[in-house]
Amino acid sequence: MSAAPEVVFAGTDGGAITDLAAYEAVGGLTALRRAREMTPEQIIAELDASSLRGRGGAFFPTGRKWSFVPKPDQNPRPHYLVVNADESEPGTFKDREIMLRVPFRFLEGCLIAARGIESQHVFVYIRGEYEHEWEILVSALEQLREAKLLGGVTIVLHRGAGAYICGEETALLESLEGRRGQPRTKPPFPAIAGLYASPTAVNNVESITTVTPIIEMGGAEYAKLGVEDSTGTRVFSLSGNVVRPGNYELPHGYPLRDLIHEVGGGIADGRTLKAVIPGGSSTPILTASEAEKVTLDFDSLSKAGSAIGSAAVIVLDDRCCMVQLGVRVSQFYEHESCGKCTPCRVGTRWLTHILQKIESGRGTHADLDLLLDVGDRINGTCLCPLGDSDAIAVASYVAKFREEFLQHIEEAGCPFHGASSLDGIVAPTDVHEAHVGPHEIHRPLEVVA
Amino acid sequence: MSDGVKVTIDDREIEVAKGTGLVETAEAAGIEIPVFCYEPRLGPAVGACRMCLVEVEGLPKLQAGCTLTAQDGMVVRTAATSKRAAEGQHGTLEFILVNHPLDCPVCDKGGECPLQDLTFRYGPGSTRMTFAKMTFDKPIPVSPLIALDRERCILCYRCTRFSSDVAEDDQLIARNRGAYSEIATFGEDPYRAPFSGNVIELCPVGALTSTQYRFEARPWEIQDVPTVCGLCPAGCNIRATTREGAVKRVQSRNHPEIDGGWLCDKGRFTYPHLRAEDRVGEPLQRGPLGLEPVAWDAALDRAEELLRGARGTIVTALSGSETNEIAYGLGVLLRRGLGAHSAVLDESTSAALDAFRAPLSTIGDAELVVIVGDDDVVDRAPAVDLWLRKARRGGAEIVTVGARGSVPAPVGGAADALRELTDPAHDLGKRLRASERAVLVWSGPGGGGGARLAEAAHKLGFDGKPGCAAFHLPATPNPRGVSEAWAAAADGDESDPEPIGLLVVSGDEAAGSPDVRALAEQAEAVIAITMFHSLAVGWADLVLPATASLEREGTSMNLEGRLQRLRRTVISPVPDELAWLSKLAARFDAELSPHAAVVFEELSERIYGGLRLEQLGEHAALPARAAYVAPEPSRAPGAEAAQRAEGHFVGTLRLLRYTPLFSGHQVERVAELQFQRPEEEIALSSGDAGRRGISTGDVVTVRSNGTSVELRARVDRKLVEGVARVADEHAADLHAEVEVVKA
Amino acid sequence: MSQTFYDDVQEMRARYPDPRSAVLPALQLAQERHDGWLPEAALREVADALDLTPAYCLSIASFYDMFHTEPVGRHSVEVCTNVSCAVSGAQQVLEALERELGIGVGETSGDGNVTLRAVECLGGCGWATVVAVDNRHHLHVRTADVPRIVKELGE
């Protein structure tokens, strides 16, 4: 593991750098000084050369995203940099560790990025549950302010309040504007009309943190790491049934099987690998044999019918019932649906109900067909990818583990007989549904006279 | 078209203007793209409901058609020619129907329901959903006017968007998230705002319904009659739904230049006053035992007697709510028949404003609007308030000059404010001069009914700039129409008879006016034409029943100067005014037709240039501007100043009376509207309240010479110092200067 | 609440180009000062401080999981039951907490001390099972840790 180069976590030696002087001692602020000698065009050119692609999940080239932001003479409205620290994709916990361990590298990246898009105003939208990480950032920001390093740029640390959908960039902007976190239709794109209808670049924490070493070492140098369509390193979040779950910074292109069996120590408790979700719950599941063959980069995972997503690898052993997985994952999307568009609002709940019916042993073959058809009607018709993700994830469990679904139907019950690792798991929607029962209806309307 | 774009929809080619939305483009080609949440008047399309899914060549996913604008060369396929689009739309309807209850048999929307219609056209015929539908308490009173049925709601968010983005009251909101989202108000608070009723028309299902219309009729039993609202000078176009000879509801008929399709709650919900318990159903004559019913012939005999007996000393008090024809008819009877030329009318609107005439929608496109006067626009002409909000959302600056203005001014200081604006050195004045899209509004009494406003507009160079306009908001619905029609009936000068032998009170606004009542006390006899018993009882010698504006054929002129046609929506329980006016006029050898259309012809020859009634059409046009003619100068220079602070004593406050929107004899008689009536309170500025140790909620005694009243205090941060503001109906006989002390 | 809440919110407003953006931090502060939840009075205070309507503030507060419009216990114990924590024994931890606290998931103890919830992914997947106690995250929680956690809740 120590052979893998560290870029994001360079200089930390496994620990955290929360003191400005300590950060400078390992070369911190070099990039900022260099960037302040560069023009915005030069900064963007460096990002282009690095081929850095968004680390949140969309994997969009960062330099190109910044180039979409109009110049001040083309659009006189203030420009904003908004950092998406709303990390809520199940399986993902790397932005948290980045903010915890390298807060200065992150904030330095904010300042460099702001210069790149000619912005004086940075907002960091950090999920409300990350209270400790927010405190770390507050302290780091204060140290930068006292050292007069902000260079006239305002950085506002804004806490979210618990909504996965606010990780979608336009929903994040709505939430930041003080509204309900519901996504917007695009166009207009945030680069043109984003925060407060002004030109805005929205970037992930890891992307912004990576900007710093890119400027330090040069984009071309960074592009030497990783593989062609996925340059550089990535902080992979490994979780589930492995011996050593955690965040690991590795170059793109790293074999998934090595992450699981070498870095991650293999499957715990002497169990066998059954399935892997490679990029957060929104990505199609891989069987064990598929997982053995892919490498952790955009191309390989796309060809395998899945995606690199948020680089969150969830490992599932043979104790895990795939139908229960479908229920739990669909419950997540149902709970997090913002409710704006019809297919997601209604469809996620309907998928959950059908899956629960199958899991309970009351399902029929027609229900399985219905499940896939409802999913088909959700996928591709929603306003944002949330609804699509539920349909895609569930469709992949059926596709890869169809026999297990059929067993539930034909055996009129879960073949794990209570021994599944997910058995009995209670989701927030389970609690909510218990309170939302049939209500007394037809109460006469009393008109105030 | 040089700036047209060519789009192909379902293999049909159509050319439309650049910037046209795709839904409208399809419509132009005779193709339907079904929608629920799409409503351009609510702002940019949100693409929420996914009903409008279409296939666009070159794009892999189905697109929300409502969010797209026609692009040159675009190729679109709707459900008609695309299986994918059809499946998408089918899917949307299936999802909507997953939780939608089978309420059609008991739902008011049935028969005029877009969900029914679109399901029939694009949706599933049966359900695959076998789980229990979500159920909620129903119906929930959003307010005494509006019932909410959450089970039917399809969460299209039209209602919440109206509340936040059009009316900007932010009272009707969405609560919770996802499948558990609900429409709600705050706690038990009702949706209390001037435009709340619009959500009923916006709702595409039976989730938000009118309590007044609940279970009243089915769409195949009703007749809709197009007319114009007669309750305020905006003259919003409406449609009255009638069943078996009674008005069952009032809806908007969307005149894009006047009301934009919106209607205020007063215009929408006040029609029940037509059947008020105390409505005068027959003539009443004062006898030894008080007012007693008499037959019409006897009543007209008595009227003739009173008129003849008082010849030469007759004064007419007009309401400003009469139709032009009724006002003309009164003029024919009284002026032509009796030489009684004297009339009083509270306020009219000066013809000098014709030089700055423009549709109200001009306000919505303005970049700068200056409003002078002490009355809130929403109390005088609610439609104007919505245009102002639209303007502000579009980036306009709205400046209010008055006792509650962004630029504070003393009570009655509107004319002075205008004078200052026309000073060449005045900053705001300079900006008004320079702008191509500036609007002036006078919202309050005085000012020569807009004469001062016209002078100011002229000095600021509004002439010839179509984007610049000036609007006077009078206190009554048709004052200009009434005063011009009255004037057109005959030639002859006014005198001011003293004493008054006979006062003819036309209409309930006049009957309810303290000034008119003061005249009535002086007069030897009074004839009152009124709708309600309680207004004229006690001081009229002869009461002749009046009709309501919904019962009248005729025309009226709104504050824009636009002539519009009223249609009789239901037959009134009492004869139309023209019917008995023509009989009475005949007794004095004055000829008057009982038919409104004929009267209009005669009137039109005199003052409307021979315009024919058919030319007014369903959505009347506003005539082009006239050249500026300077109005009569202010009769008493400094008369405005004299209105202010006479006999100001230390420690007293100037009493500012105002007439809230939800006041007046019609509103008082509608049970469901009582919750919108003004609170019994007095508003004080923060400074004045602070100095008197008064906080919001405290009971205070308000005293003036000889009278006092107890009211609850409210601190109004916008109110200028030295002023106390009370609704007219709560101010009783208080004088212009009052003392306010904590009770 | 007092004048200082209004002033605190004005300070928040000043940080944003559009004062509406301050609604989230204002609600967070109001909730902190109202025993961890937002009664109607709190929503009215936030509305007043930001020139918004109480209905609007309710619409915002009810959208997010971390705002509570019903009374809550003095302490909150939240167990993540999403996939990674679930396969690492989250349900067992939840059930142990239910037994130790004597309440069901979603309920508040009779003495008003604790509210126990199941929540979605807290972003600590590799350190499963994550339990948030008063928004401070306890990592690698096993059933054996439950008695200690409950004891530390104290009064």
Side-chain angles (χ1 to χ4, degrees):
Chain A
M1 197 176 30
S2 49
E6 281 198 320
V7 173
V8 171
F9 289 119
T12 60
D13 205 21
I17 307 177
T18 54
D19 174 71
L20 185 55
Y23 180 60
E24 283 186 278
V26 295
L29 302 182
T30 311
L32 182 61
R33 278 192 288 274
R34 183 167 302 162
R36 284 182 171 154
E37 303 293 313
M38 296 162 74
T39 64
E41 289 73 28
Q42 287 169 327
I43 292 173
I44 293 179
E46 216 57 57
L47 265 299
D48 284 336
S50 75
S51 296
L52 174 69
R53 297 171 75 165
R55 297 293 194 247
F59 216 53
F60 193 85
T62 308
R64 193 180 325 158
K65 182 183 273 193
W66 292 357
S67 72
F68 290 157
V69 177
K71 296 287 158 208
D73 59 342
Q74 297 167 307
N75 187 322
R77 302 183 76 117
H79 291 24
Y80 298 109
L81 174 69
V82 173
V83 182
N84 187 343
D86 193 59
E87 180 169 73
S88 306
E89 178 79 10
T92 322
F93 56 108
K94 43 114 181 159
D95 290 339
R96 176 185 201 152
E97 189 159 334
I98 291 171
M99 290 186 283
L100 215 48
R101 294 175 54 198
V102 286
F104 289 106
R105 183 162 288 139
F106 163 62
L107 290 170
E108 189 178 355
C110 289
L111 294 169
I112 297 171
R115 187 175 171 77
I117 62 163
E118 301 192 60
S119 159
Q120 300 284 101
H121 221 133
V122 180
F123 292 89
V124 180
Y125 186 104
I126 176 168
R127 67 178 291 187
E129 294 87 344
Y130 282 1
E131 193 176 276
H132 181 49
E133 289 69 23
W134 172 72
E135 286 167 0
I136 300 283
L137 284 182
V138 166
S139 158
L141 182 58
E142 196 48 43
Q143 293 179 57
L144 285 174
R145 186 176 295 124
E146 271 165 31
K148 300 207 184 345
L149 288 164
L150 294 178
V153 173
T154 308
I155 301 183
V156 175
L157 301 173
H158 184 96
R159 295 183 66 195
Y164 163 76
I165 186 59
C166 290
E168 196 279 336
E169 68 173 359
T170 60
L172 190 158
L173 295 174
E174 285 288 293
S175 180
L176 190 45
E177 288 184 7
R179 304 176 201 286
R180 288 161 67 85
Q182 296 186 313
R184 305 169 179 167
T185 50
K186 295 188 278 205
F189 290 87
I192 310 300
L195 186 63
Y196 312 127
S198 303
T200 307
V202 184
N203 287 115
N204 168 264
V205 167
E206 188 182 346
S207 310
I208 294 293
T209 310
T210 310
V211 166
T212 309
I214 284 174
I215 296 297
E216 218 178 295
M217 67 172 76
E221 200 58 34
Y222 182 81
K224 290 181 186 164
L225 303 165
V227 291
E228 190 177 325
D229 61 283
S230 314
T231 60
T233 63
R234 191 73 179 263
V235 181
F236 292 94
S237 296
L238 180 67
S239 68
N241 302 123
V242 287
V243 174
R244 287 190 294 270
N247 288 312
Y248 299 104
E249 184 176 3
L250 299 162
H252 272 123
Y254 199 83
L256 176 54
R257 66 170 178 276
D258 287 350
L259 173 61
I260 297 171
H261 299 295
E262 304 294 326
V263 176
I267 309 301
D269 301 332
R271 314 297 305 194
T272 46
L273 177 66
K274 178 172 181 179
V276 181
I277 300 174
S281 64
S282 304
T283 55
I285 202 167
L286 300 171
T287 61
S289 65
E290 286 172 329
E292 300 288 338
K293 299 193 191 89
V294 295
T295 52
L296 291 162
D297 56 87
F298 182 83
D299 235 15
S300 174
L301 283 164
S302 303
K303 286 200 179 98
S306 186
I308 191 161
S310 60
V313 179
I314 305 174
V315 177
L316 302 165
D317 67 26
D318 57 299
R319 284 173 296 186
C320 186
C321 169
M322 290 293 119
V323 177
Q324 286 175 356
L325 179 68
V327 170
R328 189 60 189 85
V329 167
S330 189
Q331 284 177 318
F332 168 73
Y333 292 106
E334 178 194 335
H335 180 73
E336 300 292 345
S337 170
C338 77
K340 184 167 179 178
C341 79
T342 310
C344 173
R345 184 181 69 240
V346 181
T348 52
R349 190 163 176 270
W350 196 3
L351 284 180
T352 302
H353 278 6
I354 301 170
L355 284 159
Q356 283 171 326
K357 190 182 180 195
I358 294 172
E359 167 55 23
S360 71
R362 294 173 295 119
T364 64
H365 288 96
D367 286 323
L368 191 53
D369 291 338
L370 179 63
L371 181 71
L372 295 174
D373 191 67
V374 171
D376 266 345
R377 289 178 190 271
I378 297 170
N379 193 9
T381 60
C382 299
L383 182 63
C384 89
L386 191 152
D388 294 350
S389 300
D390 190 1
I392 289 168
V394 169
S396 76
Y397 307 157
V398 177
K400 306 293 175 75
F401 298 94
R402 193 179 179 90
E403 332 74 54
E404 211 166 307
F405 281 80
L406 289 173
Q407 256 188 301
H408 280 76
I409 294 168
E410 280 148 21
E411 292 175 22
C414 178
F416 285 83
H417 300 296
S420 158
S421 51
L422 287 178
D423 203 80
I425 192 72
V426 172
T429 55
D430 284 320
V431 179
H432 195 113
E433 290 279 342
H435 291 148
V436 173
H439 283 246
E440 193 193 315
I441 57 173
H442 304 306
R443 208 177 56 189
L445 179 69
E446 291 165 37
V447 172
V448 173
Chain B
M1 260 181 281
S2 57
D3 64 342
V5 293
K6 282 206 186 72
V7 176
T8 308
I9 306 184
D10 292 338
D11 301 315
R12 250 181 262 189
E13 208 180 81
I14 177 102
E15 187 170 344
V16 290
K18 196 153 172 238
T20 306
L22 188 63
V23 173
E24 288 77 15
T25 304
E27 215 176 325
I31 293 170
E32 177 183 42
I33 294 180
V35 296
F36 283 122
C37 70
Y38 179 61
E39 173 47 81
R41 292 175 302 148
L42 297 173
V46 290
C49 69
R50 315 314 276 178
M51 188 63 235
C52 60
L53 294 172
V54 292
E55 228 184 295
V56 177
E57 205 174 88
L59 294 173
K61 278 176 27 166
L62 290 174
Q63 302 294 312
C66 74
T67 61
L68 302 177
T69 317
Q71 307 290 334
D72 207 37
M74 206 176 187
V75 178
V76 178
R77 293 198 174 281
T78 72
T81 59
S82 159
K83 185 156 171 283
R84 278 182 62 212
E87 275 174 5
Q89 291 177 7
H90 188 278
T92 298
L93 285 160
E94 181 176 34
F95 284 131
I96 290 176
L97 294 167
V98 157
N99 278 310
H100 196 82
L102 274 172
D103 275 4
C104 299
V106 298
C107 173
D108 282 334
K109 200 80 177 177
E112 48 183 29
C113 173
L115 180 59
Q116 279 182 334
D117 295 342
L118 293 185
T119 299
F120 191 74
R121 290 206 275 275
Y122 304 101
S126 59
T127 185
R128 307 187 286 178
M129 216 285 290
T130 55
F131 305 105
K133 292 183 184 244
M134 291 176 79
T135 59
F136 302 94
D137 281 342
K138 62 194 258 175
I140 291 174
V142 164
S143 77
L145 296 164
I146 302 170
L148 168 65
D149 193 312
R150 289 197 175 120
E151 293 174 357
R152 300 175 188 168
C153 175
I154 63 171
L155 287 165
C156 69
Y157 302 106
R158 281 176 152 207
C159 57
T160 54
R161 286 168 67 204
F162 175 79
S163 176
S164 67
D165 299 342
V166 176
E168 297 180 348
D169 53 58
D170 271 321
Q171 286 195 39
L172 195 63
I173 49 106
R175 191 169 64 182
N176 305 337
R177 186 176 76 202
Y180 307 103
S181 300
E182 331 179 301
I183 304 301
T185 57
F186 184 73
E188 300 291 320
D189 293 358
Y191 186 4
R192 186 169 186 265
F195 302 102
S196 70
N198 288 292
V199 300
I200 293 170
E201 281 199 64
L202 281 170
C203 184
V205 297
L208 288 166
T209 54
S210 160
T211 57
Q212 288 179 338
Y213 191 60
R214 194 170 178 78
F215 303 148
E216 284 290 318
R218 281 299 190 190
W220 51 87
E221 298 170 326
I222 62 180
Q223 268 194 312
D224 281 345
V225 183
T227 184
V228 170
C229 178
L231 298 175
C232 95
C236 298
N237 284 205
I238 57 174
R239 186 190 311 135
T241 297
T242 69
R243 182 186 174 193
E244 294 174 1
V247 176
K248 292 296 180 183
R249 76 178 164 186
V250 171
Q251 295 180 302
S252 169
R253 194 165 50 88
N254 195 346
H255 194 309
E257 290 184 340
I258 302 174
D259 49 66
W262 309 122
L263 197 52
C264 79
D265 284 2
K266 185 169 170 179
R268 185 184 298 278
F269 295 115
T270 310
Y271 67 87
H273 78 274
L274 266 61
R275 283 171 264 133
E277 269 174 22
D278 67 336
R279 180 157 187 188
V280 178
E282 53 208 333
L284 302 164
Q285 187 171 318
R286 188 168 297 282
L289 299 165
L291 285 173
E292 284 162 6
V294 288
W296 268 99
D297 285 334
L300 292 182
D301 287 341
R302 179 73 179 126
E304 186 187 348
E305 193 189 333
L306 287 169
L307 287 163
R308 271 192 212 286
R311 192 187 268 268
T313 60
I314 302 173
V315 174
T316 306
L318 296 162
S319 280
S321 60
E322 298 86 349
T323 58
N324 299 333
E325 293 72 18
I326 290 174
Y328 184 71
L330 284 165
V332 166
L333 167 66
L334 291 156
R335 299 187 65 207
R336 223 187 278 172
L338 286 147
H341 301 295
S342 289
V344 294
L345 175 60
D346 196 28
E347 262 175 27
S348 182
T349 295
S350 166
L353 283 172
D354 286 345
F356 313 104
R357 188 155 55 189
L360 284 178
S361 50
T362 312
I363 298 174
D365 297 326
E367 64 173 359
L368 176 59
V369 182
V370 178
I371 307 165
V372 298
D374 297 317
D375 287 348
D376 288 344
V377 164
V378 77
D379 290 329
R380 288 204 159 217
V384 176
D385 181 76
L386 288 180
W387 288 118
L388 288 169
R389 292 179 187 280
K390 180 169 191 253
R392 216 204 56 253
R393 286 192 298 273
E397 191 187 335
I398 316 288
V399 178
T400 46
V401 183
R404 297 184 76 234
S406 54
V407 176
V411 174
D416 287 341
L418 277 181
R419 253 193 300 277
E420 281 172 39
L421 275 178
T422 58
D423 186 303
H426 195 277
D427 278 329
L428 188 56
K430 281 193 236 173
R431 290 173 55 206
L432 286 166
R433 276 177 215 277
S435 173
E436 293 293 319
R437 291 181 292 130
V439 174
L440 287 176
V441 178
W442 181 290
S443 178
R452 309 285 83 78
L453 188 67
E455 285 165 357
H458 178 66
K459 289 197 185 121
L460 291 167
F462 278 19
D463 311 58
K465 286 197 216 171
C468 291
F471 298 99
H472 170 253
L473 309 186
T476 54
N478 184 28
R480 184 164 163 202
V482 164
S483 66
E484 286 180 357
W486 168 268
D491 296 318
D493 284 325
E494 267 196 48
S495 55
D496 274 328
E498 191 99 21
I500 302 173
L502 175 67
L503 180 68
V504 177
V505 179
S506 160
D508 287 300
E509 283 78 2
S513 153
D515 294 334
V516 170
R517 199 154 324 176
L519 285 178
E521 272 157 32
Q522 297 170 40
E524 281 168 35
V526 180
I527 296 178
I529 307 165
T530 173
M531 266 183 85
F532 305 108
H533 278 276
S534 45
L535 287 168
V537 162
W539 48 274
D541 296 288
L542 178 65
V543 174
L544 296 171
T547 58
S549 105
L550 283 168
E551 297 162 338
R552 293 172 178 169
E553 280 282 328
T555 60
S556 70
M557 182 177 285
N558 75 350
L559 68 95
E560 295 166 314
R562 187 190 307 249
L563 207 53
Q564 300 195 94
R565 185 169 182 182
L566 277 72
R567 302 293 218 139
R568 173 169 295 125
T569 68
V570 287
I571 297 174
S572 110
V574 302
D576 184 71
E577 282 81 348
L578 289 173
W580 55 263
L581 277 171
S582 70
K583 287 199 187 133
L584 206 46
R587 299 180 187 207
F588 295 96
D589 298 316
E591 218 181 286
L592 177 70
S593 165
H595 304 295
V598 178
V599 175
F600 177 78
E601 248 183 67
E602 194 180 317
L603 182 56
S604 177
E605 284 303 318
R606 287 169 189 243
I607 60 174
Y608 300 138
L611 185 70
R612 288 190 329 275
L613 209 49
E614 314 84 79
Q615 285 175 283
L616 290 180
E618 299 251 318
H619 285 128
L622 185 66
R625 287 184 176 183
Y628 177 69
V629 174
E632 297 274 316
S634 205
R635 239 171 279 154
E640 317 283 356
Q643 270 181 45
R644 297 192 303 277
E646 270 180 14
H648 180 84
F649 300 104
V650 171
T652 63
L653 299 170
R654 173 63 199 272
L655 184 70
L656 175 59
R657 289 164 174 270
Y658 77 103
T659 309
L661 176 65
F662 292 103
S663 59
H665 54 274
Q666 301 111 332
V667 172
E668 285 167 18
R669 288 164 171 81
V670 179
E672 296 86 3
L673 279 175
Q674 296 315 297
F675 82 106
Q676 294 257 42
R677 305 266 292 114
E679 308 280 353
E680 276 184 50
E681 61 182 25
I682 181 163
L684 301 170
S685 69
S686 324
D688 290 325
R691 278 189 287 277
R692 291 163 175 73
I694 294 171
S695 316
T696 296
D698 289 343
V699 179
V700 297
T701 307
V702 187
R703 282 197 289 261
S704 71
N705 254 358
T707 51
S708 80
V709 155
E710 272 201 2
L711 293 165
R712 238 195 336 256
R714 186 172 62 82
V715 177
D716 182 345
R717 278 182 268 205
K718 285 198 215 163
L719 190 58
V720 77
E721 291 221 349
V723 173
R725 194 166 174 264
V726 188
D728 203 45
E729 61 191 88
H730 300 139
D733 296 323
L734 290 170
H735 294 207
E737 294 292 321
V738 293
E739 273 182 339
V740 180
V741 294
K742 209 160 158 177
Chain C
M1 267 183 285
S2 53
Q3 184 64 26
T4 51
F5 176 78
Y6 185 89
D7 294 332
D8 286 338
V9 174
Q10 301 319 300
E11 270 173 47
M12 287 171 178
R13 275 174 90 142
R15 273 187 241 147
Y16 298 93
D18 182 344
R20 189 189 293 260
S21 295
V23 72
L24 233 48
L27 286 167
Q28 283 154 359
L29 183 63
Q31 183 164 271
E32 264 171 54
R33 295 190 183 174
H34 259 105
D35 304 317
W37 68 293
L38 292 164
E40 282 192 9
L43 292 169
R44 288 190 201 275
E45 287 239 20
V46 173
D48 187 57
L50 287 170
D51 292 315
L52 298 167
T53 60
Y56 184 86
C57 295
L58 172 64
S59 133
I60 302 302
S62 62
F63 184 85
Y64 298 94
D65 291 328
M66 291 180 76
F67 291 132
H68 312 293
T69 53
E70 305 269 299
V72 297
R74 282 183 290 282
H75 300 285
S76 76
V77 176
E78 297 171 317
V79 181
C80 172
T81 63
N82 205 298
V83 179
S84 302
C85 288
V87 300
S88 307
Q91 185 57 27
Q92 287 66 45
V93 170
L94 182 61
E95 284 166 11
L97 281 163
E98 284 182 311
R99 283 192 299 273
E100 196 76 25
L101 292 168
I103 55 178
V105 61
E107 296 173 0
T108 301
S109 59
D111 60 3
N113 199 33
V114 193
T115 300
L116 176 66
R117 290 190 199 99
V119 294
E120 293 294 357
C121 183
L122 286 172
C125 322
W127 310 313
T129 294
V130 178
V131 176
V133 178
D134 298 329
N135 217 32
R136 307 309 284 200
H137 293 192
H138 294 240
L139 312 175
H140 303 294
V141 176
R142 302 279 175 272
T143 51
D145 302 313
V146 165
R148 176 185 49 82
I149 290 175
V150 170
K151 199 183 220 173
E152 281 168 10
L153 290 171
E155 65 318 324

